[in-house]
Amino acid sequence: MKIDHPAATDVRVEERAAVDAATFAAEIDPRATPIILRGQVAHWASVRAASDGDRAVATYLSGLGNGGRPLDVLVGGPEYRGRFFYRGDNLEGFNFHREQAPLELLLSELLRLATVPEHERHILYANAALAPEHLPGWEAANPLDLPLGGAQPRLWIGNGSQTATHYDGSTNLACVVAGQRRFTLFPPDQVGNLYVGPLDRTLAGPPASMVDPLAPDLARYPRYADALQHAMVADLGPGDALFMPAIWWHHVQAFGTLNILCNYWWAFDPTASAFNALVHALMAVRDRPAAEKAGWRAWFDHFVFDEDAARAGDHLPAPARGVLGPGSSERTERIRAYLLRVLQRH
């Protein structure tokens, strides 16, 4: 596939042909690195409709969205080149606004904008629309026979856009339906070279890198040059899927006048978010004296990060292990109750 837009790196993500459910469970899901599955969803009715052009796939989607809730749509002006991001040097706002729109209205507006010159075209993007709520007919018409832990499909519908470099807290399978997508990916350990933006005031959920991969300012963000040494690019067309392990950073470009992606997130419990633990550690640990921080690092290693951390309570009788017990819904509830008691007290 050829995409006439510059890539941040020439290193390509590994790829292979579509896999069956057993192969996915044995060889793909356990991976620690991304992989492209060419043609994984080429059989979908939506992908076949997209092969007949924007109007055909818009008509197809309209038939699946009857009775669905309006979508949350990001709207950006043409001057931002489709890059949804912060506005102003002090990051006091965003360069887009949000609107609620029925699927039919979004699709008709995307078709209209397709006739507008690109430099005058507004960018619309409905992101992470849960299919059962917004396109009730999607799942039955476009089934995916892979073991994804009960994950529900989410739709991403828009025109030419850029999603800032961010991470997902869960494993992700991203499937292109219409248009082309380019993912520029960085391993989790590159967090220090990506110049992460505000943690508590984000664009759309997880924190994002401040660097624009299409025009990186290396004078302002010099360590980004090191991140590029570890970057990989995945170019996807209709029917292709990209598997991404949790916490991999990715910048996403959507090309074309009607671009559609369906993704699945799984293997993630939002009530036990490691990110929330990180933010709490900023308050509880980061600003302690160096000697204390070294001590708490030993605690974190022993109870969390060491290979045998799950056995740190084995010297205790099983009924007395409490929050040190093996992972379970009961332990999660016990930890949640303990934290609520402590935080409410202080």
Side-chain angles (χ1 to χ4, degrees):
M1 178 194 315
K2 185 175 186 298
I3 295 180
D4 294 322
H5 299 266
T9 175
D10 292 328
V11 179
R12 299 285 157 168
V13 171
E14 179 187 349
E15 59 182 80
R16 63 181 292 176
V19 298
D20 59 20
T23 304
F24 185 90
E27 301 178 17
I28 306 300
D29 197 9
R31 287 178 61 96
T33 56
I35 187 170
I36 298 169
L37 302 175
R38 292 287 182 206
Q40 185 69 48
V41 296
H43 62 283
W44 277 359
S46 56
V47 175
R48 294 197 300 269
S51 68
D52 291 328
D54 287 0
R55 193 165 295 277
V57 73
T59 299
Y60 174 82
L61 287 186
S62 295
L64 300 179
N66 185 33
R69 291 171 44 197
L71 299 100
D72 184 35
V73 181
L74 310 186
V75 183
E79 66 271 26
Y80 297 112
R81 301 179 295 115
R83 185 181 186 228
F84 293 109
F85 204 62
Y86 293 98
R87 175 173 49 80
D89 291 339
N90 293 324
L91 314 184
E92 65 269 17
F94 305 125
N95 67 359
F96 58 90
H97 66 277
R98 298 176 184 273
E99 295 185 7
Q100 293 287 310
L103 177 64
E104 292 264 3
L105 178 59
L106 171 63
L107 293 171
S108 65
E109 185 63 7
L110 286 169
L111 292 175
R112 184 192 71 79
L113 287 170
T115 67
V116 174
E118 188 171 358
H119 67 280
E120 300 177 4
R121 187 182 302 155
H122 278 71
I123 304 302
L124 307 181
Y125 199 30
N127 62 336
L130 198 58
E133 297 179 4
H134 301 279
L135 283 86
W138 175 270
E139 205 162 3
N142 297 276
L144 186 61
D145 184 23
L146 294 178
L148 303 182
Q152 294 183 311
R154 296 174 183 267
L155 276 297
W156 309 68
I157 305 169
N159 44 15
S161 65
Q162 296 181 53
T163 303
T165 307
H166 65 287
Y167 77 95
D168 295 327
S170 57
T171 312
N172 187 4
L173 187 71
C175 308
V176 175
V177 173
Q180 295 178 326
R181 294 258 172 167
R182 166 169 283 166
F183 289 74
T184 303
L185 301 112
F186 304 87
D189 63 7
Q190 291 306 300
V191 58
N193 294 326
L194 292 174
Y195 296 90
V196 178
L199 302 188
D200 55 342
R201 186 163 53 85
T202 64
L203 299 166
S209 168
M210 296 300 297
V211 185
D212 180 356
L214 301 188
D217 184 347
L218 296 182
R220 186 174 185 180
Y221 306 116
R223 293 194 308 274
Y224 185 72
D226 295 328
L228 287 176
Q229 300 301 310
H230 303 272
M232 296 186 290
V233 164
D235 286 329
L236 308 179
D240 295 335
L242 173 64
F243 169 85
M244 286 183 289
I247 326 177
W248 271 74
W249 295 88
H250 48 287
H251 172 265
V252 190
Q253 295 168 263
F255 303 108
T257 48
L258 179 49
N259 191 293
I260 305 166
L261 180 138
C262 175
N263 91 299
Y264 302 80
W265 284 314
W266 74 101
F268 176 59
D269 177 4
T271 66
S273 170
F275 178 77
N276 293 339
L278 169 70
V279 173
H280 188 266
L282 294 176
M283 176 182 69
V285 180
R286 190 193 69 179
D287 300 321
R288 306 303 299 169
E292 287 188 29
K293 288 173 65 174
W296 284 116
R297 180 180 290 114
W299 277 67
F300 274 80
D301 285 342
H302 180 66
F303 288 104
V304 178
F305 293 112
D306 285 349
E307 289 187 10
D308 60 350
R311 304 192 61 183
D314 283 6
H315 60 286
L316 298 172
R321 291 175 190 172
V323 299
L324 293 177
S328 66
S329 58
E330 291 77 16
R331 190 193 70 156
T332 296
E333 288 302 319
R334 185 174 189 133
I335 292 175
R336 182 185 294 113
Y338 170 79
L339 291 174
L340 286 173
R341 289 197 307 271
V342 172
L343 293 174
Q344 288 171 353
R345 189 181 309 144
H346 297 287

